[in-house]
Amino acid sequence: MNIGNMDRRIALQSTTLTTNDYGQRVASWTTYATVWAAIKYKKGSEKVTDDQVGSTQTVDFTIRYSTDVSGVKASHRVVYDGKNYEILYTQEVGRKEGIVLVCELRSA
């Protein structure tokens, strides 16, 4: 794992339930860690459904392992460059050297 390649700043977010002004429970996203990451763009696809073009892009974010990020899971998301990436799954690198977040960016 080359730490010098981790030159992009990403935010890791988890969802929390809050109560709005009407007493309804709504989900909101909270940033719990901001870390440096290396980015590797994988595959992408595009499709047309009901005259709408939609695309998906698979991206790997590699981050250093720490106690702040050890609990990252698929229900969380990555925010990078103003875009929200859904975490599909995570992979540990070495013996707690790093974590690869395999993510997907979707557009309508």
Side-chain angles (χ1 to χ4, degrees), residues 15-21 23-30:
T15 186
T16 56
L17 290 176
T18 58
T19 305
N20 66 12
D21 295 337
Q24 298 172 325
R25 303 282 287 170
V26 292
S28 62
W29 291 93
T30 306

Side-chain angles (χ1 to χ4, degrees), residues 6-82:
M6 295 181 185
D7 59 352
R8 310 298 171 96
R9 204 72 167 149
I10 65 169
L12 300 174
Q13 295 185 335
S14 63
T15 186
T16 56
L17 290 176
T18 58
T19 305
N20 66 12
D21 295 337
Y22 302 105
Q24 298 172 325
R25 303 282 287 170
V26 292
S28 62
W29 291 93
T30 306
T31 299
Y32 65 89
T34 302
V35 296
W36 292 101
I39 297 177
K40 185 176 182 182
Y41 292 95
K42 301 290 234 178
K43 62 182 179 176
S45 65
E46 193 173 81
K47 66 179 179 178
V48 178
T49 306
D50 297 329
D51 294 331
Q52 299 258 347
V53 177
S55 64
T56 59
Q57 172 76 50
T58 304
V59 180
D60 289 354
F61 293 96
T62 303
I63 60 175
R64 292 180 74 174
Y65 185 91
S66 72
T67 54
D68 292 340
V69 300
S70 63
V72 67
K73 49 189 161 186
S75 61
H76 298 175
R77 74 179 181 187
V78 171
V79 178
Y80 169 67
D81 198 25

